[in-house]
Amino acid sequence: MSAKSFTPPPAGSRLLMSGNEAIARAVWDAGVRVAAAYPGTPSTEILENIARYPDLYAEWSVNEKVSLEVAIGASITGARSFCAMKHVGLNVASDALMTLTLTGVVGGLIIAVADDVGFSSSQNEQDSRFWGRFAHLPIMEPSDSQEAYAMTLAAFDLSEKFEVPVILRLTTRICHVKCPVEVGEREVKRAAEGFTKNPARWVMVPANAQKRVPGLFAREKALHEESEASVLNRLEPGSDRRVGFVTSGPAFMHVREAFPDAPALKLGISYPVPMNKVRELAALVDTLVVVEETEQLLETEILAAGIPTRGKDLLPSAGEMPPHILKKHLVALFPELRDAAETAAPLPAPLPVFPRPPTMCVACPHLGVYYTLSQLRNLTITGDIGCYTLGAGHPWNALDTTICMGASMGMALGMDKGRGPNDEKKNIVAVIGDSTFMHMGMQGLLDIAWNRGNVTVLLLDNRTVGMTGGQDNPASGRDIHGEEAPRIDFAKVVESLGVAPEHVRVVDPYLLPVLFKTLREEIKYNGPSVVITDRPCVLIDDYKKLPAYEVIESACTGCGNCVDVGCPAIHVTRREKAVKPSGKEVELAFVSIETAACTGCGLCLQPCAPDAIKPAKPKPIKVEFV
């Protein structure tokens, strides 16, 4: 939605908001001038919502490092700035982050980092609280949407008070769960004064950087004092003094629900740790327990300070800490929990649920790519992060690796250069999407071309960031507001990176024979080659639906070729055993097409041996009058 068509609710409104929505409103209320992000679950909706507000600049950056650099550039002019990313994105942005900790900021700068606790949509469960210790930066952790709003405002004030970026650590539960939020007035910040040249601060060559280090440690000491005094770190006394909890973020809510009478220290500023308040709580209770998601980080620091505590010796080291998990693992400290469990009626057995593995959309342009790859032999296929990662699953089984954004490129080159005796006859294909290629893949392709790697790259251009909800990117020809913007020409980019023009091929992934022939030709070439597939994602406006198809039941022989395409609109209606003339027993799969879902892409027609798939005939509508 364009900012021009959105009117922010007035101050004092009480709104049902997710944490992402609340942070977006707080960014606007804080008077932020510049906001940048790269989409990634669970943080995506923060910038999507920020972009709706007027009087600020918002952009989707090509990766997280660039988004942070944009925010830094705005900050050093005196403007408040903001960037957002998921946990693995901070790895990408860390190069800029680790120097920013020396230079500091001018206008307030907040880095919202959303940890995917529980692996909802990520390749790892990284704990971003480590970055506060590593970069000597304060960390704030809200427990619900209202706190996400309030802490974002407080974080900007803290950032400007100490001239330091502040990490706002979120988790999936904070980002996506909604609760009532009361919003306030927008703070109209005075215009930024502009950049003041100061090479000793902003030009981080070694001689200048060394002089900034003492100030970093002095600032961290002052931040410790701030954390001890902050109202965001509060000790809540309780009537049950057997166990006291030190916790932060959504884990605090879980502790409160599971053990409402226990004392608890809620850390809104979880780093630097207010160790005096921890000691105060420890003096009140028999046993101190740290509940943290996910690493044994806070517990280790408390133990190092000489305060006896327990934590991961009782609690899981991965995943969320909801009340039932807390009660299960802390039963040794609360004997009544064991008594209640022994007398409770047994839970009914869960009902069997039909398995629903993740799959691609009906008519997804990646379906033909993976069907084709599954038909080719002697391939090693390196994959990447995106919708196309699903190609590793049934029925294609056409991905051999997936590590991180852009890794398909470097790994493919490494496999080529490090071939063993069993790999000499295998061809190497790297699969990468358009947004991932721009995020971190171009450098890898440059390396392949420069070092003459024998690798075929499949660059899947579907003109959007599909996996996170269809955000625009430089391949879509639109900006974050949906307005026209330059569209990248992948063929020209690939050629400029050193791939020979005759080995840069653009194909329609719906034309399976052409795709098959093109891939086979480029795989045979001993050198770098790129095949670009050009079809829009079926979930964006660029996609144009065609008339649906249906299966002529009398003509279907059960060959199952169409099933191998993997389109979820194709359903197997029955299976039968049959014996070939050679005597070999085979299983036949008779199918139908869900015409309401079919978009007419025609992928299933092409491998259909008996030509049993035809344009669907309109179904007569029966109307009965009573």
Side-chain angles (χ1 to χ4, degrees), residues 141 143 147 151 232-235 247 252 264-268:
E141 293 190 66
S143 295
E147 284 195 355
M151 284 190 184
L232 297 176
N233 293 330
R234 67 175 188 266
L235 179 58
T247 187
F252 169 76
L265 174 57
K266 181 188 184 304
L267 300 179

Side-chain angles (χ1 to χ4, degrees), residues 93-114:
S94 62
D95 192 8
L97 177 74
M98 295 306 292
T99 303
L100 179 63
T101 191
L102 288 173
T103 65
V105 302
V106 180
L109 195 165
I110 306 306
I111 306 168
V113 182

Side-chain angles (χ1 to χ4, degrees), residues 209-224:
Q210 289 169 0
K211 295 173 184 177
R212 302 288 301 177
V213 173
L216 181 151
F217 290 111
R219 182 189 70 203
E220 189 169 34
K221 181 180 178 182
L223 284 167
H224 271 96

Side-chain angles (χ1 to χ4, degrees), residues 242 258-259 327-328 331-332 334-347:
R242 291 176 295 173
F259 307 105
K327 290 180 177 179
K328 174 183 176 182
V331 66
F334 296 91
E336 66 272 16
L337 295 177
R338 182 181 292 108
D339 298 337
E342 291 174 352
T343 58
L347 294 174

